[in-house]
Amino acid sequence: MTSIDLNADLGEGFGRWRLTDDEQLLTVVTSANVACGFHAGDAPTMRRVCEPAAERGVRIGAHVSYRDLAGFGRRAMDVPPAELTAEVAYQIGALEVFARAAGSRVSYVKPHGALYNRVVHDEEQARAVVDGILLADATLPVLGLPGSRFLELAHAAGLPPVTEAFADRAYTDEGTLVPRGRDGAVVTDPESVVARSVDLASGAVTAHSGARIDVRARSLCLHGDTPGAVDLARRVRERLETSGVRVEAFA
C-alpha cells in the first residue's frame, strides 16, 4: 500500500495574533512544522502547539526561517553563511525545549518560505542550513523539494532526506514551485487540491504548463493559512484513505 505523511505549517502566530487553527489541524496531520520565532511564532505559541501535538502523536518539526517577522519569512535575504548556520541551530534548540517539555522531541527540520526556495539551488545557503542542523542534532531528517541542492547536501552529510510535495501550489516543468507572484502559482479550487493530493501520492502531477511531471514525495504539505484550511485538510486525508493511501508520519 502506498503511504504518505501529511504536514502543515503551525504555530504561525505572535502574541495575541493567530493565523492557523492549530488545534483542529492537529487532528488531521501527522507532522507539524512549528514556527520557531523567526518568521512567526513565539515561546507561548511554540509551547501551545507542542503540547497537543505530543498528546496526539503528531511529529514535531522545526520550521526554520530567515529572521523576517515583518515579511513572514517570504522576502529574499542575503544572510552570511556563518550567521545563518547559527540561527538555524538556535531555532531548532528553542523548539526542542518545548517539544521535550511536552514529552516529545523535534523529529525533523523544514526550511520556510524564502529560505525553502533559496536552498533549492543556492549551494552556499543550503550548506549553511545543513551545518545549522548538524550543529543542533546530526540525526534529524530534513524535509525539502525533490532534486533540491539542500536535500543532496543533507544526504551527503548523513541527514536523512525526505521529499515533499504541495497540492495547492503550481509546479514548473522542472518540478520546482511556480513563484507566488505569478498568476496561478497557488491552486485555490478545493476539489483540484484534493484530486492533486491523490495524484501526488501516486508520484505525478499536472504542471502549470499542462504537462504531466513526476514528483516523488514522502510527505504532502497542507497550508494552514488558506481559507477553509481545516475542512480542506480533512477532505484531503479522507480522499487519500479512500483511494488506498495509508497516511502516516515519516519520522
Side-chain angles (χ1 to χ4, degrees), residues 47-102:
R47 184 178 185 184
R48 189 167 58 241
V49 175
C50 285
E51 289 175 349
E55 289 173 3
R56 296 185 173 111
V58 175
R59 303 300 187 267
I60 297 170
H63 206 194
V64 299
S65 170
Y66 287 127
R67 188 190 292 270
D68 181 26
L69 276 175
F72 198 63
R74 288 178 176 166
R75 299 186 292 192
M77 303 182 75
D78 291 315
V79 180
E83 184 178 329
L84 182 56
T85 290
E87 291 190 337
V88 166
Y90 177 91
Q91 291 175 78
I92 297 168
L95 184 62
E96 179 72 5
V97 169
F98 299 110
R100 287 197 177 274

Side-chain angles (χ1 to χ4, degrees), residues 8-10 19-21 24-25 28-29 168 193 222-236:
D9 303 344
L10 303 182
L19 180 64
T20 53
D21 189 343
Q24 291 303 311
L25 283 167
V28 182
V29 301
D168 63 352
V193 174
L222 305 173
H223 283 111
D225 59 350
T226 56
V230 173
D231 180 63
L232 181 58
R234 287 177 176 145
R235 288 179 60 186
V236 166

Side-chain angles (χ1 to χ4, degrees), residues 7-55:
N7 77 78
D9 303 344
L10 303 182
E12 291 185 328
F14 196 83
R16 296 176 63 186
W17 174 64
R18 297 193 188 188
L19 180 64
T20 53
D21 189 343
D22 299 329
E23 283 286 339
Q24 291 303 311
L25 283 167
L26 283 169
T27 67
V28 182
V29 301
T30 46
S31 297
N33 316 316
V34 183
C36 302
F38 273 37
H39 73 280
D42 54 22
T45 303
M46 284 188 274
R47 184 178 185 184
R48 189 167 58 241
V49 175
C50 285
E51 289 175 349
E55 289 173 3

Side-chain angles (χ1 to χ4, degrees), residues 195-217:
R196 286 164 63 87
S197 298
V198 177
D199 270 359
L200 287 164
S202 66
V205 74
T206 300
H208 193 50
S209 67
R212 291 288 288 178
I213 60 171
D214 290 336
V215 178
R216 304 293 176 180

Side-chain angles (χ1 to χ4, degrees), residues 94-177:
L95 184 62
E96 179 72 5
V97 169
F98 299 110
R100 287 197 177 274
S104 184
R105 61 182 296 270
V106 172
S107 296
Y108 65 96
V109 178
K110 174 184 172 178
H112 164 81
L115 183 59
Y116 186 98
N117 292 319
R118 182 76 171 266
V119 299
V120 171
H121 300 297
D122 189 317
E123 177 153 355
E124 183 179 67
Q125 295 281 281
R127 190 175 298 280
V129 174
V130 168
D131 287 345
I133 298 168
L134 291 170
L135 185 60
D137 185 341
T139 68
L140 288 173
V142 296
L143 195 56
L145 204 67
S148 65
R149 196 71 186 106
F150 172 56
L151 289 191
E152 292 171 359
L153 290 171
H155 178 68
L159 300 171
V162 181
T163 53
E164 177 182 39
F166 298 82
D168 63 352
R169 291 294 307 277
Y171 279 82
T172 68
D173 288 357
E174 292 72 38
T176 58
L177 299 179

